[in-house]
Amino acid sequence: MSTTSSHSDPMEAEIERALAPGRFVSDRGCFRFVDGLEQVAATVGRLVDDEPVRAATLYETFLAGCYEKAEEVDDSSDSFGMFAQSLISGWITSRQAAQASPQQTAARLLAWMDDDQFGFCHRLEREIATVFGEAGIAAFIDQIRSRFEAADQAATASAGSDQGDQDARRRSAETLRWAEALRSLYTARGDLDAYVDLTERTGLTTDDCLTVANLLVTRGDPAQALSWAERGLDLDANQPYPSFAAHSLTELKPRLLADLGHGEQALETAWAGYRKHPDRYSYDHLMTFVPHAERPGWHDRAITVALDGDRYLPAVIELLLHTDGTGRLGQLAARTSDCSWEGVGHHTAEQAGAALEPGHPGDAARIWRAQGMRILEAGKSKYYGAALRYFEHAKRCYQQAGQPAQWQQVVDEVYAQHGRKTSFLPGFDAVVTGTDPAPQPSFLDQAKARWSRHTPK
């Protein structure tokens, strides 16, 4: 199918060719498609300095084309949507270079946000806050604040005076939408007072406390930042599950204490956080507050805590690998059941097995055996090659540890429980006997043999 059209700007023809109207873009081909769009957008971007009005018009045309193209793109990767948002940023830059009215720019953006069928403007305020100049972001904030006030007043009028209705008003979707937009813009602008005033109207959250604390850190006020961090942690303590913001506040609090000269209290706070969730990251965080001369002792305390009790096994393994604790890793491996090792992901298990092979071959063999069994139990035939490699490692390690009986138990278990996996057994037979597997006929050779049996002589 071909179409003809006239374009007032020669660049429009380039845009249309890049968008390939009428051709469906699959998920697999989306990155390549977007790469072509980005090359054309880069050409438009080079017009901003000398021809900003033209550039703004082209960006808007390009964005309109993206909306028209959207139903012909499988954008599972969201690369097309992110490209569309980059066009909006370019449009704002061009408008500012052309000294266009900030109020008109903001009004046009809000109109796009209202009529956003494909989500190109979702969380747009987060992406464009740094693109706007001072006048632009002020105009954008003013217009969003007007929408927030209107939505809030409308919800209040319909809610009445009952407290339950008051809570429902605060959860109004429209009110929350514009409140979140204002939060992002106030944060980008560093407007602490406006941000705090907004939280007083909409309800304070742990995320709010983290944002305010970070803004105060930027202002060089660690004492107030600490107060907000503690406030956020108190809020989160009343929730059934800890939030991501609480995790960040847990890391921020000891840093603030250290900045205020409370080194011992900072260490105590970091230690409390580590004991709740011992892993390689909380370990590194803890050690930043430990005096250099005391680190060996604190290291032993930290590892002892990680190994004590029913901890999340992969996290403890990664911690021991991170701290070069192969001796402790051997102790952990020895007391961990085969069933538990089968539940550890292959990436972590492979690192543990490789680390233990030189000094603890028997423990390494159990890890390799567990990974092979994990694949067989799941019946994932496309990973049978990996399972065979794991069993080869297991056999070698059992032999190195002088444990042939344990290897024979693995062999017996595989044949007894997985003897019907015919695509796996020839390779496993070769691992057991130490010989190369018999060459298998190709797909077409098998087809010819089957065909010949049904073809009259």
Side-chain angles (χ1 to χ4, degrees), residues 160-190:
S161 59
D162 183 77
Q163 182 59 43
D165 288 340
Q166 292 286 341
D167 292 339
R169 175 182 62 82
R170 287 192 169 185
R171 292 193 295 269
S172 164
E174 193 71 7
T175 304
L176 289 174
R177 176 191 181 190
W178 299 120
E180 286 304 307
L182 286 174
R183 277 176 163 85
S184 297
L185 292 167
Y186 289 153
T187 302
R189 203 180 188 189

